[in-house]
Amino acid sequence: MLKIKRAYEPAEKGDGYRILIDRLWPRGISKEKAAIDLWAKNIAPSTETRKEFNHDAEKFPEFREKYISELKENSSTDGFVATLASRLREGNVTLVYASKDARYSDVSVLKEYVEQKLTAKAGKEQQ
């Protein structure tokens, strides 16, 4: 199961493999306390896109569009999706993020994007 969790929530065994998906390390969280297995900062939105958005809910549709475009152009995306697919065969994977509201955050966009990619990949494998 692909899950999401805020970095400020305690890590739990059920989280499985934990991937920090933000470009910046969460403020005030030690690496030990965060219990991160992989820091995928190269999959995060660009600094420019993140700063333009600034967690403003009204700007979210534009942010979402720009971030998806960045994911499609990012040479690291396919490897990230492959890593997720592999880890999901072993158990849960949790995308860890720092923002206060997951609905208006890169984590919601990334989770949706990855789930679509994994569904498409599974469909091709079944054919």
Side-chain angles (χ1 to χ4, degrees):
M1 172 186 253
L2 183 59
K3 302 161 58 171
I4 63 171
K5 191 171 199 176
R6 196 158 183 250
Y8 301 98
E9 296 176 54
E12 299 172 326
K13 188 175 183 177
D15 292 345
Y17 193 76
R18 292 171 50 90
I19 304 173
L20 178 64
I21 55 97
D22 292 336
R23 188 169 302 278
L24 304 174
W25 190 266
R27 290 183 186 173
I29 299 288
S30 69
K31 293 190 188 234
E32 186 176 285
K33 186 175 182 180
I36 298 299
D37 297 301
L38 173 67
W39 185 8
K41 58 184 162 186
N42 57 338
I43 207 75
S46 68
T47 300
E48 177 184 328
T49 298
R50 181 179 50 81
K51 285 184 176 181
E52 283 176 9
F53 172 47
N54 197 31
H55 300 285
D56 180 345
E58 290 182 15
K59 294 179 182 177
F60 185 73
E62 183 181 335
F63 167 76
R64 182 181 179 281
E65 189 176 303
K66 283 185 177 182
Y67 184 32
I68 288 172
S69 178
E70 288 180 0
L71 287 168
K72 289 177 179 177
E73 295 172 12
N74 187 337
S75 62
S76 300
T77 300
D78 288 343
F80 179 75
V81 172
T83 297
L84 279 178
S86 174
R87 290 293 177 171
L88 284 166
R89 284 191 285 276
E90 298 171 18
N92 292 338
V93 174
T94 300
L95 302 177
V96 179
Y97 64 99
S99 66
K100 292 179 182 176
D101 189 346
R103 292 175 300 172
Y104 302 111
S105 169
D106 56 332
V107 73
S108 66
V109 178
L110 182 60
K111 184 176 188 281
E112 177 186 346
Y113 182 85
V114 166
E115 287 175 336
Q116 288 174 354
K117 287 286 195 182
L118 293 173
T119 300
K121 183 179 177 183
K124 286 180 184 177
E125 289 174 358
Q126 289 179 348
Q127 292 178 356

